[in-house]
Amino acid sequence: MRVPRVQQGSATELPYPDNFFDAVLTDPPYYDNVPYADLSDFFFVWLKRTVGDLYPELFATPLAPKSQEMVADASKAGGMEEARRRFEEMLTQAFREIHRVLKPDGIAVIVFAHKTTAAWETVLQALLDAGLYMTASWPIHTEMQARLRAQESAALASSIYMVCRKRTTEEIGDYTRVRREIEARVRERLAQFWEEGIRGADFFMSAIGPAVEVFGRYARVEKLSGEAVTVAELLEYVRKVVAEFALERILRGAELSGVDPLTRFYLLWRWTYNHARVPFDEARKLAAGAGIELTAHWGPGGLVAKDGEHVRVRSPMERAKDPRFAARTEFPTMVDAMHRAAALWMENRSAELREHLSATYGENEVFWQVVQAASEVLPEGDKERQILQGLLAGRRHHRRGPSQLPMWGK
């Protein structure tokens, strides 16, 4: 039986020769999610007292060493931009070391989880710069949704396991062709992920791997102008592909052209984030994938609420209390008409509800498919879900005609 050897050292300078390992498995720091060294201090002081004499070289400092910590911590780097730059440089160097010590046919398995595309841009750029490319990826459920961190947040339930190899070609890819390859590959894998029950924010992040499997085959992907396609542009395109795929499934075949962009955004938000507050940049990217400008829809009467650096989508209950929304007489989008209908149903204002539906989307089948989809993407017990289900239950009365309509009950 072979005895494993454990060493302490820096991932940016591995003490092994070139082409040494058949495989390297690593779970790098998750960008800005966890201050690992600070957390280590709690255990460090007790370990130092109990086993410090057995490993004096590991406990020579008063607390856990922090100067070479690979995290994007703005408080330790003089700002987030510098923290991101430092993290990317160190991660790229660590990946280059993996590339160096791997055998030509070796594999590297890298685990990562983060809800922001900024973190993914950094990791993927480091991976590609190091000469590694993804050959397979899979989301694996690793995080507990009951944990404090996941409550009222957009925290992920899955980590992405990325299987990588050394890139052996210097081929230049044409973006027009590569984009078609990416869409075909992403849609193929998304169909698998959907059947596996992966949903919401995890679904978006799960699509990154299949896209990079295609993108990373090339040393460089170029536009017709000769300009290189960036990882940020790749992820923006992936979001659009995922948004369209998800909406097709959420609406169960309803004609997407009949659903306005703001309503698409609402459905995607509820499906992805539910009622969570989300960093502005992530919200902006989701809005762009749905075809809207986020800033045009917040403020009094709007669908979107901005809380500091975070964004959330208002519920019909909240909008019903907004004087600007209550005073509206025109509803050019389905989500606004649906929220007004939900508010009227909630307040048992049956006559006004019948009049509102007759003047807006009451006879539009796609509208009711949207209401159904919105109710289904929300979790059991959710108040907004219950109201939308009540609205759906009352639809059959609306279709009888005003003379036969009973009260629209709760």
Side-chain angles (χ1 to χ4, degrees):
M1 176 175 161
R2 299 184 66 177
V3 178
R5 184 157 56 101
V6 179
Q7 288 182 270
Q8 183 198 39
S10 173
T12 60
E13 193 174 350
L14 298 176
Y16 301 100
D18 297 353
N19 305 317
F20 186 75
F21 289 107
D22 293 299
V24 175
L25 286 74
T26 184
D27 189 353
Y30 291 172
Y31 195 57
D32 60 350
N33 268 4
V34 182
Y36 298 93
D38 292 336
L39 292 176
S40 295
D41 286 341
F42 175 83
F43 304 96
F44 188 92
V45 294
W46 293 107
L47 287 169
K48 186 170 184 175
R49 285 162 172 76
T50 54
V51 298
D53 59 322
L54 301 177
Y55 306 97
E57 71 283 2
L58 299 182
F59 294 95
T61 54
L63 294 172
K66 299 179 178 64
S67 62
Q68 294 301 306
E69 183 184 19
M70 193 190 298
V71 292
D73 189 334
S75 66
K76 296 176 182 176
M80 195 56 202
E81 275 304 310
E82 179 60 20
R84 175 175 177 167
R85 184 196 63 78
R86 181 175 180 276
F87 178 82
E88 185 170 339
E89 287 181 356
M90 294 182 73
L91 191 62
T92 301
Q93 179 56 31
F95 287 166
R96 283 179 178 147
E97 281 291 275
I98 290 175
H99 184 282
R100 181 183 65 79
V101 301
L102 266 183
K103 291 179 180 178
D105 60 347
I107 63 169
V109 179
I110 298 165
V111 184
F112 194 71
H114 204 284
K115 66 187 179 185
T116 71
T117 49
W120 277 100
E121 284 175 27
T122 301
V123 169
L124 295 176
Q125 191 63 59
L127 194 70
L128 296 171
D129 288 347
L132 296 167
Y133 80 100
M134 221 180 297
T135 58
S137 64
W138 204 265
I140 296 180
H141 196 97
T142 57
E143 311 299 323
M144 295 186 301
Q145 287 300 286
R147 72 195 193 285
L148 182 63
R149 175 71 183 83
Q151 295 173 13
E152 296 299 319
S153 77
L156 301 175
S158 301
S159 297
I160 309 300
Y161 282 64
M162 301 175 282
V163 180
C164 305
R165 292 184 181 273
K166 291 183 174 183
R167 189 173 59 243
T168 57
T169 177
E170 294 302 316
E171 182 183 357
I172 304 298
D174 171 63
Y175 190 40
T176 302
R177 177 172 56 82
V178 172
R179 192 164 51 186
R180 289 196 296 268
E181 294 175 8
I182 288 172
E183 180 172 4
R185 179 60 175 156
V186 167
R187 280 184 165 271
E188 175 190 349
R189 293 297 301 280
L190 288 180
Q192 291 179 272
F193 297 152
W194 189 276
E195 293 302 317
E196 293 290 333
I198 296 169
R199 296 291 187 270
D202 289 280
F203 195 70
F204 277 92
M205 295 307 162
S206 298
I208 292 173
V212 179
E213 289 172 27
V214 177
F215 190 83
R217 292 177 198 156
Y218 304 93
R220 175 183 168 99
V221 177
E222 293 183 352
K223 305 172 189 174
L224 290 175
S225 62
E227 185 182 0
V229 178
T230 66
V231 171
E233 290 172 315
L234 168 68
L235 294 182
E236 181 181 355
Y237 177 68
V238 171
R239 274 192 174 277
K240 290 180 180 178
V241 173
V242 176
E244 185 175 307
F245 181 95
L247 282 168
E248 289 169 0
R249 296 301 177 100
I250 293 168
L251 289 168
R252 296 183 179 179
E255 182 57 50
L256 283 181
S257 61
V259 182
D260 60 89
L262 186 63
T263 302
R264 294 186 188 196
F265 167 75
Y266 164 77
L267 288 172
L268 283 172
W269 186 283
R270 286 290 186 252
W271 181 74
T272 308
Y273 299 126
N274 197 349
H275 296 286
R277 295 167 65 250
V278 174
F280 169 77
D281 195 50
E282 289 306 301
R284 180 188 62 78
K285 290 170 182 173
L286 183 68
I292 69 164
E293 175 56 51
L294 189 66
T295 56
H297 299 284
W298 65 42
L303 177 67
V304 178
K306 189 171 185 292
D307 298 336
E309 297 181 355
H310 290 76
V311 170
R312 61 186 175 83
V313 168
R314 292 185 172 115
S315 69
M317 302 84 76
E318 183 180 0
R319 298 184 82 188
K321 299 174 184 177
D322 186 330
R324 293 281 188 94
F325 184 72
R328 289 179 62 170
T329 56
E330 295 184 359
F331 301 89
T333 68
M334 287 184 176
V335 63
D336 286 342
M338 178 174 64
H339 278 193
R340 170 54 61 83
L344 293 172
W345 179 90
M346 182 174 56
E347 296 166 5
N348 207 20
R349 293 158 63 182
S350 304
E352 292 174 74
L353 175 54
R354 290 194 293 271
E355 182 180 344
H356 167 70
L357 288 172
S358 296
T360 56
Y361 299 95
E363 301 304 322
N364 187 320
E365 185 61 32
V366 174
F367 171 77
W368 291 106
Q369 287 176 297
V370 167
V371 179
Q372 181 72 45
S375 72
E376 289 176 353
V377 299
L378 289 162
E380 290 286 348
D382 182 90
K383 180 66 175 175
E384 185 171 342
R385 176 187 174 114
Q386 292 171 352
I387 292 172
L388 294 177
Q389 287 177 335
L391 187 63
L392 286 164
R395 183 193 179 193
R396 64 181 181 274
H397 302 309
H398 171 71
R399 297 178 75 175
R400 293 178 190 169
S403 63
Q404 303 175 52
L405 284 174
M407 287 295 285
W408 209 300
K410 292 185 180 178

